[in-house]
Amino acid sequence: MAMLTAKFCAPATGVRSPAGARRSAPARRATLVRAAAGSYADELVSTAKSVASPGRGILAIDESNATCGKRLASIGLDNTEANRQAYRQLLLTTAGLGEYISGAILFEETLYQSTTDGKKFVDCLKDQNIMPGIKVDKGLVPLPGSNNESWCQGLDGLATRCAEYYKQGARFAKWRTVVSIPCGPSALAVKEAAWGLARYAAIAQDNGLVPIVEPEILLDGSHGIQTTLDVAEKVWSEVFFYLAENNVLFEGILLKPSMVTPGAEHKQKATPEAIAKHTLKMLRRRVPPAVPGIMFLSGGQSEVEATLNLNAMNQAPNPWHVSFSYARALQNSVLKTWQGRPENVEAAQRALLARAKANSLAQLGRYTGEGESDEAKKGMFQKGYTY
């Protein structure tokens, strides 16, 4: 991994530190990083540790209103604020959820919503020791000069938004950008993704939010697992170079990587053991042990696949908390059980707890996959999927 050397002004002639010697480069960088994180440094570390706690992971329900509408349409519901609120109330008021879930990523609308009884969703989460999080990016747009690739917008006004989200109760943030293997990826797209993530991370920390760093390497393509590994190593090398250049506090971030798998259209699927081997190889080569948590995205895998692969990665101790930050792989069974009917809410909440518990066991390396339904084994990959 490339290492960054910071430049410092030379001290005046004859001036020495109290210890009588110049401080080491790592010590100087540590001072800069703590200063960059400001008065929130200790809180950031504490928040990241809370989210990366044993047997727990993240429930991602930060879909945009348009994407949430597609989910609701799949069960015959209109995309109205009332229906979105009802679905998210079902999720966030599930009793016992905090046993398996440590954080919930919300869309802006949800951060400011309350239950039908008037209780803020943020307070519903806090009552179960679940950290509220917030999606802060503004989505993907075409990247000029690239090979039909994208970049993530949203840096303009980000500091102001983060400060407001913190006041509302959010304590971590998410910024998702993507890298496409069939499109190259070009050096321009990789650098743009890494730089944008680093600037976002620095701004989030400066405003008290633990940044989730998410350069999603899309499943699209027919490439093999080695190609994914090569691209993932390149992407994460760039990401950590620019995180360091922006003086981001590594102990106060969380990562949300893709698992290293073959492309979705590859002729042969990889076993959980092979996916675990390649993914952990990439992480050990690129991710410093100072990072507290690796919270994998599911990326269109089936509910069972995502859980089996996570379990395979937790069969031996890791330098970081290796867990989950799943959306579809936690919600698919819930939606199909609920069907928008009030009488199905409790059954849908039981379905959520079952999936959350399965992934909790996987985080602890104890998941077996026994008793899973055929529905939970169905893949959810969609070519060109957008949030």
Side-chain angles (χ1 to χ4, degrees):
M1 184 187 304
M3 297 299 293
L4 180 70
T5 303
K7 295 181 179 179
F8 296 88
C9 296
T13 304
V15 177
R16 296 170 65 85
S17 69
R22 294 183 64 189
R23 298 169 67 204
S24 67
R28 293 196 301 273
R29 183 183 181 277
T31 299
L32 268 181
V33 167
R34 299 291 290 193
S39 59
Y40 293 108
D42 291 339
E43 183 182 352
L44 293 169
V45 173
S46 177
T47 297
K49 285 181 178 179
S50 178
V51 175
S53 54
R56 300 205 299 165
I58 294 174
L59 170 63
I61 55 170
D62 58 318
E63 301 90 350
S64 66
N65 287 348
T67 300
C68 190
K70 294 177 184 177
R71 305 272 173 88
L72 295 174
S74 72
I75 57 171
L77 291 184
D78 293 333
N79 185 15
T80 65
E81 182 177 355
N83 284 336
R84 294 192 299 270
Q85 187 260 7
Y87 177 53
R88 284 158 173 165
Q89 177 170 319
L90 180 161
L91 298 171
L92 299 179
T93 60
T94 298
L97 190 62
E99 184 176 351
Y100 313 117
I101 299 296
S102 56
I105 311 173
L106 310 177
F107 191 62
E108 185 177 64
E109 177 183 77
T110 316
L111 181 70
Y112 290 91
Q113 282 179 326
S114 301
T115 67
T116 51
D117 293 332
K119 186 173 183 177
K120 294 179 180 178
F121 282 151
V122 167
D123 292 334
C124 293
L125 292 171
K126 289 180 178 178
D127 285 350
Q128 294 211 57
N129 193 30
I130 299 173
M131 287 285 181
I134 179 69
K135 169 185 166 72
V136 298
D137 68 76
K138 293 296 184 179
L140 301 170
V141 292
L143 177 62
S146 71
N147 185 26
N148 196 31
E149 295 162 289
S150 301
W151 69 285
C152 188
Q153 58 187 343
L155 289 176
D156 288 350
L158 179 59
T160 300
R161 296 200 308 277
C162 285
E164 289 301 316
Y165 297 151
Y166 183 92
K167 289 179 183 177
Q168 185 63 17
R171 288 300 178 267
F172 69 97
K174 173 196 154 181
W175 176 287
R176 173 185 177 263
T177 192
V178 301
V179 173
S180 170
I181 291 178
C183 290
S186 67
L188 173 63
V190 172
K191 183 174 183 178
E192 174 59 43
W195 177 255
L197 284 165
R199 288 305 307 139
Y200 137 77
I203 293 167
Q205 287 191 340
D206 192 51
N207 288 278
L209 301 181
V210 168
I212 290 181
V213 178
E214 182 184 0
E216 179 176 355
I217 298 173
L218 299 171
L219 279 176
D220 303 62
S222 58
H223 51 277
I225 197 168
Q226 183 61 45
T227 298
T228 307
L229 176 62
D230 294 341
V231 172
E233 288 184 352
K234 171 63 176 174
V235 170
W236 282 105
S237 175
E238 291 274 315
V239 168
F240 272 99
F241 174 85
Y242 287 115
L243 287 173
E245 190 171 61
N246 281 273
N247 294 313
V248 171
L249 177 66
F250 289 173
E251 293 86 350
I253 67 174
L254 296 166
L255 306 187
K256 186 170 178 175
S258 309
M259 296 179 190
V260 177
T261 69
E265 298 162 279
H266 188 65
K267 56 188 177 183
Q268 186 174 355
K269 294 189 71 172
T271 64
E273 293 73 24
I275 290 170
K277 175 184 175 182
H278 286 81
T279 304
L280 292 174
K281 180 186 291 185
M282 181 274 292
L283 293 174
R284 290 182 181 123
R285 288 174 173 176
R286 292 294 181 263
V287 181
V291 174
I294 313 290
M295 321 299 286
F296 282 103
L297 59 91
S298 55
Q301 301 175 73
S302 75
E303 291 177 329
V304 171
E305 280 178 327
T307 310
L308 284 170
N309 293 336
L310 177 63
N311 185 72
M313 281 183 262
N314 281 299
Q315 294 308 299
N318 290 302
W320 338 263
H321 175 80
V322 175
S323 193
F324 60 93
S325 177
Y326 293 164
R328 286 174 284 174
L330 282 173
Q331 296 183 51
N332 191 51
S333 294
V334 180
L335 264 175
K336 293 186 176 182
T337 302
W338 178 45
Q339 293 294 317
R341 299 172 182 169
E343 64 268 24
N344 292 343
V345 167
E346 289 187 7
Q349 290 178 328
R350 288 195 296 271
L352 174 60
L353 284 177
R355 289 261 48 91
K357 182 179 180 179
N359 285 290
S360 170
L361 290 171
Q363 198 288 309
L364 299 169
R366 302 174 191 165
Y367 173 74
T368 64
E370 294 179 359
E372 292 282 16
S373 68
D374 290 339
E375 185 65 39
K377 297 175 183 177
K378 290 182 180 179
M380 292 178 280
F381 169 74
Q382 297 177 31
K383 191 172 184 178
Y385 180 77
T386 57
Y387 281 80

